[in-house]
Amino acid sequence: MDHSHHPGSELPFWKRKTGIALIMLAVIGVFYVAREHFGHISQALPYLILLLCPLMHMFGHNHGGHSHRSETDTPKDDNRK
């Protein structure tokens, strides 16, 4: 039997049984902590929402109004005037 290590044959951590179990435990833990401290969390929600826009810009979110295309990238058969 060949037990040599083949590149790409190993699953990522989050797809293994231990990874799935740890992720489930973390989600359950976060749920109970959030449930117990909802009063504190709800007071911070307006500030967390205000932080979303800069964080989305830092991680590359595009609001839709910003276009990174130049004038030369437009299609040649565009009939708009």
Side-chain angles (χ1 to χ4, degrees), residues 19-68:
I20 292 171
L22 286 175
I23 290 170
M24 288 173 44
L25 286 173
V27 167
I28 291 169
V30 167
F31 170 75
Y32 281 115
V33 168
R35 186 174 173 217
E36 289 295 321
H37 297 283
F38 183 73
H40 307 295
I41 295 171
S42 64
Q43 291 175 355
L45 278 177
Y47 302 108
L48 294 174
I49 292 170
L50 286 175
L51 285 174
L52 281 178
C53 189
L55 287 174
M56 286 189 292
H57 280 284
M58 283 175 41
F59 293 108
H61 176 76
N62 189 358
H63 283 283
H66 308 292
S67 178
H68 296 290

Side-chain angles (χ1 to χ4, degrees), residues 2-13:
D2 186 17
H3 292 291
S4 64
H5 179 71
H6 298 288
S9 64
E10 188 175 319
L11 289 173
F13 175 74

